[in-house]
Amino acid sequence: MKKPTISDIAKIAGVSKTTVSLVLNNRNINVSEKTRSKIIEISNELNYIPNGIARSLSTSRTETIGIILPDIVNPFFSEIARAIEDTAGKLNYNVILCNSDSNNIKEEKYTKLLISKLVAGTIFISGGGSRNSIDFFKKNNIPVVFVDRYADPLKDFSSVFCSNEEGIFEAIKYLYDKGKRNIGFVNGSMKLETSKLRLKAFDKISKQLDIYSKSLIYNSIYSVEGGLIGTENLLNSNPKIDAILYSSDVMAFGGIKTIKRKNLKIPEDISVIGYDDISFCEYIEPELTTIRQPIYEMGEQACKLLIDIIDGKTINKKIEFKPKLILRGTA
Amino acid sequence: MKKPTISDIAKIAGVSKTTVSLVLNNRNINVSEKTRSKIIEISNELNYIPNGIARSLSTSRTETIGIILPDIVNPFFSEIARAIEDTAGKLNYNVILCNSDSNNIKEEKYTKLLISKLVAGTIFISGGGSRNSIDFFKKNNIPVVFVDRYADPLKDFSSVFCSNEEGIFEAIKYLYDKGKRNIGFVNGSMKLETSKLRLKAFDKISKQLDIYSKSLIYNSIYSVEGGLIGTENLLNSNPKIDAILYSSDVMAFGGIKTIKRKNLKIPEDISVIGYDDISFCEYIEPELTTIRQPIYEMGEQACKLLIDIIDGKTINKKIEFKPKLILRGTA
């Protein structure tokens, strides 16, 4: 069986292909109501779907966008991807998913693939150092919107972020007000601009509050294992530690495991604060206190911004959200 | 700036478009090594990417497949999607992501969109009752592989599943051997064939072991809330309950919350077993005992099977995996 075409409908209806095409596209054409209904009926009967690729080629534009993200299994990214796909779907775009594992070679492979598929634009959650991929998009005139993770140089690109400084400040101030003076920080990979900004903010606020100690900082990776290892290290080198801030919720889950295995109580012995507010924060008991990034809104706004750029409605725009401390059971 | 084309390269190199095209496609052509390198150099300089859509139209085939799944935020589906995308990427296919929320109207909308984009095939995790979408794919001659969730009628389609009966049997037998005699079952939506098969298996094994009671079964939905509500109901109606099997890990997380909030101990007072073995099982403490479905392998095999069908290497195939009880801290 072949995909049904306009020719098939024309043949069965006994009219020309042009007539079928005009009727199905709701264009002005002088045909009887009977012929019109007959054409529509046959097209339904055959489950006819117009060829969107043919149109794409003539307009040099597809209603397709790409998302390059590190790993869809990480709930932070799956929540952003969901928001992007929802928003794209409402605007009649569809979304090609690319998992880069924050690897520049994979990013570049996907970049070329997306360009060859004539995507109208791309949302890019960079693994850091994505210079080549960024060049490819630029030289091929494909609009890109960066989300969450910065890429250098960003000035030519649109982006959607949530203030890292404010998030770190809010968490540390809360813990300080609760009487905590030995606050550890398990941060993500220093390859990423986001981690650098958060570390800078942590240094700044700790020094302001006069509780700074270099030994309270551990640069790990954004995963459960990263949280496990970071916590193990901080607990061993700082017996007086009374709170730990994690640079992601997923890391905080790893941290909680380590703390519980040492028979320390959360939040009595050690308070824990995560970062992101993925939906899993509410799946555990006690639920995770965290710095909320408005993940869904970030994905939604990134997609709207990208499609506005594609439609020529705007050119280069930065959108910054504010984070918010969400109090639950761990701090 | 426009996307660079073959014409741009030809102009700069001072050769014909045909020469550029033949050189870049590694075809036999009698040109000097100097001209060949010059053409390749210019194409790199311009970050030229061939237009894959033009080729798709002439071959009526894209190297793109669709995935229709309920919700990418659900870790079971994000893990399957990751496996599918990894496998597709290795075979030079890319993947369009569609979230249906198990809603037939959304499924149908995405079905039409995928067909219009000339996808070479689709992997479908049905929300149940997807008759219309299935018809559209069939009449448009688009191969479909079903994964995890059955759709009726399936006989014409290829599918990848994990035995539901064996999974339920293994869990219940384990609990029975541990001395549990009041084993509850929080199942998913009865709209889904998977839930029906699991309920049937639960009934069968409970009756065989002579521990069956209708009041120990609660049909809920596949979510944390579904697990919370199901557990609340079972605990209230069965004070002697000593173990609960959940039809998904995510439901089990909800159940654990309810059990902990009632100050009951896991596994001492109530043993808990989940279903799926998503990576989050290891994020909580104690880690979740569960029935493992080989999620990654299921996605991988589904993708390979689909591409084999696209390539005409096979036609209709059912692949069934075996589940496995993974012992951790909750049972």
Side-chain angles (χ1 to χ4, degrees):
Chain A
M1 199 156 49
K2 256 182 83 270
K3 183 177 180 333
T5 62
I6 295 243
S7 303
D8 299 330
I9 300 168
K11 220 176 194 174
I12 301 171
V15 297
S16 72
K17 289 203 283 179
T18 313
T19 306
V20 174
S21 171
L22 291 171
V23 166
L24 294 182
N25 285 299
N26 271 318
R27 298 288 175 77
N28 237 335
I29 177 183
N30 197 7
V31 291
S32 69
E33 206 37 58
K34 200 180 147 198
T35 306
R36 183 182 298 274
S37 342
K38 195 165 150 197
I39 289 170
I40 291 168
E41 212 169 275
I42 294 166
S43 98
N44 288 339
E45 186 69 28
L46 295 177
N47 289 37
Y48 168 75
I49 309 269
N51 180 338
I53 296 289
R55 199 187 47 204
S56 294
L57 193 69
S58 67
T59 60
S60 255
R61 234 186 71 181
T62 53
E63 265 140 3
T64 301
I65 60 171
I67 321 180
I68 300 178
L69 49 75
D71 181 8
I72 194 75
V73 171
N74 180 319
F76 180 77
F77 300 124
S78 69
E79 289 180 26
I80 285 202
R82 173 73 212 229
I84 291 168
E85 202 273 304
D86 281 355
T87 312
K90 278 179 204 148
L91 299 167
N92 286 315
Y93 276 74
N94 58 10
V95 170
I96 293 179
L97 170 68
C98 309
N99 293 288
S100 72
D101 292 317
S102 295
N103 173 323
N104 290 154
I105 294 166
K106 283 196 187 178
E107 285 179 354
E108 208 177 311
K109 180 198 140 197
Y110 280 117
T111 297
K112 290 178 185 171
L113 191 69
L114 291 175
I115 296 172
S116 84
K117 293 286 162 82
L118 304 185
V119 289
T122 294
I123 290 176
F124 198 163
I125 305 182
S126 159
S130 313
R131 181 85 239 190
N132 279 351
S133 299
I134 295 173
D135 270 0
F136 265 107
F137 282 121
K138 207 171 162 183
K139 293 214 178 139
N140 283 276
N141 197 28
I142 309 274
V144 176
V145 172
F146 286 87
V147 187
D148 176 53
R149 295 190 175 176
Y150 295 76
D152 182 50
L154 261 187
K155 62 177 170 37
D156 296 340
F157 290 95
S158 291
S159 51
V160 176
F161 295 105
C162 185
S163 168
N164 290 291
E165 188 172 88
E166 284 182 47
I168 299 292
F169 278 23
E170 226 185 307
I172 302 299
K173 276 185 186 155
Y174 174 80
L175 292 169
Y176 186 87
D177 288 346
K178 285 273 167 187
K180 307 292 178 183
R181 294 294 179 269
N182 296 283
I183 305 170
F185 180 41
V186 178
N187 196 12
S189 162
M190 289 307 283
K191 201 184 139 200
L192 298 170
E193 197 59 27
T194 311
S195 309
K196 292 181 199 160
L197 291 166
R198 290 186 188 167
L199 180 62
K200 211 172 140 191
F202 181 82
D203 284 357
K204 189 173 163 187
I205 184 77
S206 305
K207 284 172 183 167
Q208 268 179 24
L209 297 170
D210 204 22
I211 54 169
Y212 178 81
S213 158
K214 204 169 180 252
S215 73
L216 285 165
I217 298 164
Y218 191 89
N219 291 310
S220 190
I221 50 165
Y222 285 109
S223 66
V224 170
E225 293 68 32
L228 279 164
I229 294 163
T231 307
E232 187 70 40
N233 271 281
L234 286 186
L235 292 177
N236 288 340
S237 55
N238 298 277
K240 283 166 63 187
I241 206 161
D242 51 13
I244 304 179
L245 170 63
Y246 294 85
S247 204
S248 82
D249 292 332
V250 170
M251 293 169 98
F253 297 135
I256 289 171
K257 285 172 73 81
T258 305
I259 296 166
K260 282 193 178 172
R261 285 174 182 177
K262 292 191 180 282
N263 288 314
L264 294 166
K265 284 207 172 64
I266 300 170
E268 294 82 356
D269 299 324
I270 298 185
S271 288
V272 168
I273 298 186
Y275 209 107
D276 291 341
D277 197 29
I278 58 174
S279 45
F280 244 92
C281 293
E282 296 183 303
Y283 290 18
I284 59 165
E285 191 71 22
E287 297 178 350
L288 185 64
T289 298
T290 193
I291 299 294
R292 171 181 291 168
Q293 302 201 69
I295 307 176
Y296 195 92
E297 287 79 359
M298 287 168 70
E300 190 178 29
Q301 288 304 315
C303 187
K304 280 188 184 161
L305 175 54
L306 181 64
I307 293 174
D308 275 352
I309 297 170
I310 292 166
D311 291 344
K313 288 186 194 157
T314 182
I315 41 166
N316 189 344
K317 206 166 153 185
K318 318 276 178 214
I319 299 176
E320 190 175 73
F321 283 91
K322 281 193 185 306
K324 194 183 164 195
L325 177 66
I326 304 296
L327 294 176
R328 297 200 184 94
T330 61
Chain B
M1 198 156 51
K2 254 182 85 269
K3 183 177 180 335
T5 62
I6 296 244
S7 304
D8 299 330
I9 300 169
K11 222 177 196 170
I12 299 171
V15 299
S16 72
K17 289 204 283 180
T18 312
T19 305
V20 174
S21 169
L22 291 171
V23 165
L24 294 181
N25 285 300
N26 271 319
R27 297 289 175 77
N28 238 336
I29 178 182
N30 196 8
V31 290
S32 69
E33 206 36 60
K34 201 180 144 195
T35 307
R36 184 184 296 273
S37 337
K38 196 166 150 195
I39 288 170
I40 291 170
E41 214 170 274
I42 295 167
S43 98
N44 288 338
E45 187 69 28
L46 295 178
N47 291 35
Y48 168 75
I49 309 268
N51 179 336
I53 296 290
R55 200 188 45 204
S56 294
L57 193 68
S58 69
T59 61
S60 255
R61 231 185 75 180
T62 54
E63 266 141 1
T64 301
I65 60 171
I67 319 181
I68 301 177
L69 49 74
D71 181 8
I72 194 73
V73 171
N74 180 321
F76 181 77
F77 300 124
S78 69
E79 290 179 26
I80 284 201
R82 172 73 210 229
I84 292 168
E85 202 273 304
D86 281 355
T87 312
K90 280 179 204 150
L91 300 168
N92 287 314
Y93 276 74
N94 58 10
V95 170
I96 293 178
L97 170 68
C98 309
N99 293 288
S100 72
D101 292 317
S102 295
N103 172 323
N104 290 154
I105 293 165
K106 283 195 187 179
E107 286 179 353
E108 207 177 312
K109 181 198 139 198
Y110 281 117
T111 296
K112 290 179 184 170
L113 192 67
L114 292 175
I115 296 171
S116 84
K117 293 285 162 84
L118 305 185
V119 290
T122 295
I123 291 176
F124 199 162
I125 305 181
S126 157
S130 312
R131 180 86 237 188
N132 279 353
S133 300
I134 294 172
D135 270 0
F136 265 107
F137 283 121
K138 206 170 162 182
K139 294 215 178 140
N140 282 276
N141 197 28
I142 309 274
V144 177
V145 171
F146 286 86
V147 187
D148 177 54
R149 293 189 174 177
Y150 295 76
D152 184 48
L154 263 187
K155 63 176 168 41
D156 296 340
F157 290 95
S158 291
S159 51
V160 176
F161 295 105
C162 186
S163 166
N164 289 291
E165 187 173 88
E166 286 182 46
I168 299 293
F169 277 23
E170 227 184 309
I172 300 300
K173 277 184 186 155
Y174 175 80
L175 292 169
Y176 186 87
D177 288 346
K178 286 273 169 189
K180 307 293 180 182
R181 294 295 179 270
N182 296 283
I183 305 169
F185 180 41
V186 179
N187 195 14
S189 161
M190 289 307 283
K191 200 184 141 202
L192 298 168
E193 197 59 26
T194 312
S195 310
K196 291 181 200 160
L197 290 167
R198 291 186 187 166
L199 180 61
K200 210 171 140 192
F202 181 83
D203 283 358
K204 189 172 162 187
I205 185 76
S206 306
K207 284 174 184 166
Q208 267 178 23
L209 297 170
D210 204 21
I211 54 170
Y212 178 82
S213 158
K214 205 170 180 245
S215 72
L216 286 164
I217 298 163
Y218 192 88
N219 291 311
S220 189
I221 51 165
Y222 285 110
S223 67
V224 170
E225 294 68 33
L228 279 164
I229 295 164
T231 308
E232 187 70 40
N233 272 281
L234 286 187
L235 292 177
N236 288 341
S237 55
N238 298 277
K240 283 168 61 189
I241 205 160
D242 51 14
I244 304 179
L245 170 64
Y246 294 85
S247 202
S248 82
D249 292 332
V250 170
M251 292 169 98
F253 297 135
I256 289 171
K257 287 173 72 83
T258 305
I259 295 167
K260 283 192 178 173
R261 285 174 183 176
K262 293 191 179 282
N263 288 316
L264 294 166
K265 285 206 172 63
I266 300 170
E268 294 83 354
D269 298 325
I270 298 185
S271 288
V272 168
I273 298 185
Y275 210 109
D276 290 341
D277 197 30
I278 58 174
S279 46
F280 244 92
C281 293
E282 296 184 302
Y283 290 18
I284 59 165
E285 192 70 22
E287 297 178 349
L288 184 64
T289 298
T290 191
I291 298 295
R292 172 181 291 165
Q293 303 201 67
I295 306 178
Y296 195 92
E297 287 78 2
M298 287 167 73
E300 192 179 27
Q301 289 303 316
C303 187
K304 281 188 184 161
L305 175 56
L306 180 64
I307 293 174
D308 275 351
I309 296 170
I310 292 166
D311 291 343
K313 288 186 194 156
T314 184
I315 42 166
N316 188 341
K317 207 167 151 185
K318 319 276 178 214
I319 299 176
E320 189 175 74
F321 284 91
K322 281 195 185 306
K324 194 181 164 195
L325 177 66
I326 303 295
L327 293 177
R328 297 200 184 92
T330 60

